Amino acid sequence: MNILLDLLCLCLLCLTGKTLCDENGPKNIKVEGGTDVMLPCSLSTKENIESKLFDWRKVAQKDDGQKKVFLYDGGSHYNNGLDGQSEEFKGRVSHFQDELKHGNASIIIRNTKISDSGEYTCYFPCHRPPQIFYIELVVEPKVIIVKEDSDVVLPCSLSTKENITSKQFDWKKVAQKDDCQKEVFYYNGGSNNNKNCFPGQVSHFPDELKHGNASIIIRNTKVSDSGVYTCDFPKLQPPQTFHIELVVVGAALKPSVTILTATANSALLQCEVHGNPKPKVELQDSDGNNLHAEVTQDSEREGSFYITLQTTVTKTDTYRCVATQEELKHQIYAETYVYIRGEIIPCDILIFKFFSALFICKLL
């Protein structure tokens, strides 16, 4: 009966061509993975819809078909007996029963996953005229930021809190631009193996497995550990995957400042710095004035930024290369003294330097 009703109402929709997407455009919502999200859907008339039909679906994507998210039909719905809900949404979607009398068909999706991202429709097929609402949901990885050389816990827990002591889960680091996917930690019913990608660096919490907790700890983190990690339960029904983005920040090390070439009248200085987050690099004279410098390298490797500056100086002075990371409130510098043999020094400065040196010699 419901199928026939759906087909009839769909025909009416095709005749009227009425959609709220035409009027308002899809609503965009962004959330962090693992949190709950409400997808809004309300009739502007605020009429009572307790006896009505509305249908939430996830629009088909490239590698996947259309998903049935939540169906409400005059009091019956997926959580109280209706069949047909897509497996990955079972037990995770609910509506607001008390809000139906105000025309509110919104739903809440719990424990969101990256795979939940996509376009959703809230469809009133039998409304006069039929109406359809569009929602674009973007679920982003949970982001964890730590300082280099510290330990970090990557969380992964089933919402059901079921015992996973005899289950299988697999942690991997997603492939990056210049790298391949890495095995981080594998657990299979009591057997675990980090597969040598993070030897001696990764462990889990055995006592927490009975509570559905598959979290791991990475010790002595490095900037190169930064990236997106997945915690996968391939044999659960339905299979579940959690995503965590780890950002390891490292204070920039002391810059390297060198004299590449020198003539009687000038010298070519080079400053090299690396760190994460990306440092701001400046070349300065002894008075703190910033010098015009050419950036000869600005690249990223293994999660760290590498920056090289070069400039030509024409006077004797002490020059400083300064690296600043505002996010870490960190600044570090290195200095070098440059002597220009052919520099023309004004007479008054020369006399001042002579008597200054003579005075120091007498003190000694």
Side-chain angles (χ1 to χ4, degrees):
M1 181 66 183
N2 284 336
I3 296 176
L4 292 175
L5 185 59
D6 281 354
L7 290 174
L8 175 62
C9 295
L10 181 60
C11 291
L12 290 172
L13 178 63
C14 294
L15 291 172
T16 61
K18 177 69 173 178
T19 73
L20 290 192
C21 181
D22 295 333
E23 297 177 1
N24 302 321
K27 182 177 180 64
N28 295 301
I29 297 176
K30 287 186 178 182
V31 295
E32 186 180 83
T35 60
D36 301 341
V37 63
M38 185 189 75
L39 302 188
C41 176
S42 294
L43 294 176
S44 57
T45 59
K46 299 187 183 300
E47 63 189 89
N48 192 322
I49 57 172
E50 290 176 308
S51 61
K52 306 294 184 181
L53 168 70
F54 61 87
D55 188 9
W56 277 92
R57 300 197 181 194
K58 184 184 178 190
V59 177
Q61 296 178 297
K62 291 181 182 178
D63 304 323
D64 213 350
Q66 186 182 67
K67 303 294 183 181
K68 296 180 179 180
V69 181
F70 189 81
L71 176 66
Y72 178 94
D73 187 2
S76 298
H77 50 81
Y78 285 148
N79 292 337
N80 71 359
L82 281 185
D83 294 327
Q85 187 177 28
S86 294
E87 201 64 38
E88 59 262 50
F89 290 103
K90 287 184 177 179
R92 297 174 54 221
V93 184
S94 57
H95 67 306
F96 299 89
Q97 182 64 37
D98 294 339
E99 289 295 311
L100 296 176
K101 58 179 173 288
H102 304 300
N104 186 349
S106 302
I107 58 172
I108 186 167
I109 300 178
R110 303 191 185 282
N111 192 25
T112 54
K113 301 171 176 53
I114 301 295
S115 57
D116 292 333
S117 297
E119 187 174 64
Y120 290 74
T121 59
C122 173
Y123 176 36
F124 290 87
C126 298
H127 194 270
R128 297 295 184 270
Q131 293 193 30
I132 185 167
F133 297 77
Y134 290 83
I135 306 290
E136 182 74 28
L137 175 63
V138 178
V139 183
E140 299 176 329
K142 180 180 179 65
V143 179
I144 297 177
I145 302 176
V146 297
K147 288 187 177 181
E148 191 173 25
D149 296 324
S150 61
D151 300 343
V152 62
V153 173
L154 301 189
C156 177
S157 294
L158 296 178
S159 58
T160 58
K161 299 187 183 301
E162 64 185 274
N163 191 328
I164 57 173
T165 304
S166 61
K167 305 292 185 183
Q168 176 184 330
F169 61 87
D170 192 6
W171 278 91
K172 294 181 181 180
K173 183 182 178 188
V174 178
Q176 296 178 296
K177 293 179 183 178
D178 305 321
D179 204 358
C180 59
Q181 180 173 268
K182 291 184 177 180
E183 299 285 348
V184 178
F185 187 86
Y186 177 77
Y187 178 93
N188 187 13
S191 170
N192 59 78
N193 174 24
N194 65 16
K195 302 184 180 179
N196 297 321
C197 288
F198 292 78
Q201 193 181 356
V202 181
S203 58
H204 68 310
F205 300 89
D207 293 340
E208 288 295 311
L209 295 175
K210 58 180 175 288
H211 303 301
N213 186 349
S215 302
I216 58 172
I217 184 168
I218 301 178
R219 303 186 186 281
N220 192 31
T221 54
K222 303 299 179 188
V223 170
S224 57
D225 293 334
S226 298
V228 176
Y229 291 73
T230 59
C231 172
D232 185 32
F233 291 87
K235 295 185 178 180
L236 286 183
Q237 294 302 322
Q240 294 193 38
T241 301
F242 300 80
H243 293 72
I244 306 290
E245 182 174 359
L246 175 63
V247 179
V248 183
V249 295
L253 300 177
K254 188 173 183 178
S256 169
V257 55
T258 55
I259 302 173
L260 293 183
T261 60
T263 67
N265 301 311
S266 66
L268 178 61
L269 290 184
Q270 176 171 285
C271 171
E272 294 179 290
V273 179
H274 73 270
N276 182 8
K278 186 176 182 178
K280 177 182 177 182
V281 185
E282 297 167 314
L283 274 164
Q284 300 175 347
D285 61 19
S286 59
D287 294 325
N289 300 311
N290 289 332
L291 306 178
H292 176 71
E294 178 187 359
V295 179
T296 59
Q297 178 184 230
D298 187 346
S299 61
E300 182 182 0
R301 300 194 305 274
E302 296 183 341
S304 192
F305 294 91
Y306 290 77
I307 302 172
T308 303
L309 300 184
Q310 290 183 359
T311 190
T312 299
V313 297
T314 57
K315 71 173 185 176
T316 300
D317 199 357
T318 298
Y319 293 93
R320 174 180 293 186
C321 178
V322 183
T324 305
Q325 293 167 298
E326 295 181 356
E327 300 93 329
L328 304 181
K329 302 186 185 307
H330 174 72
Q331 186 176 86
I332 192 169
Y333 65 88
E335 293 180 334
T336 189
Y337 178 76
V338 178
Y339 173 66
I340 306 298
R341 298 193 309 275
E343 179 183 8
I344 300 176
I345 303 175
C347 186
D348 56 343
I349 295 179
L350 188 60
I351 293 172
F352 173 77
K353 288 187 175 182
F354 172 76
F355 282 107
S356 295
L358 186 61
F359 176 71
I360 292 173
C361 288
K362 287 183 177 181
L363 289 178
L364 296 175

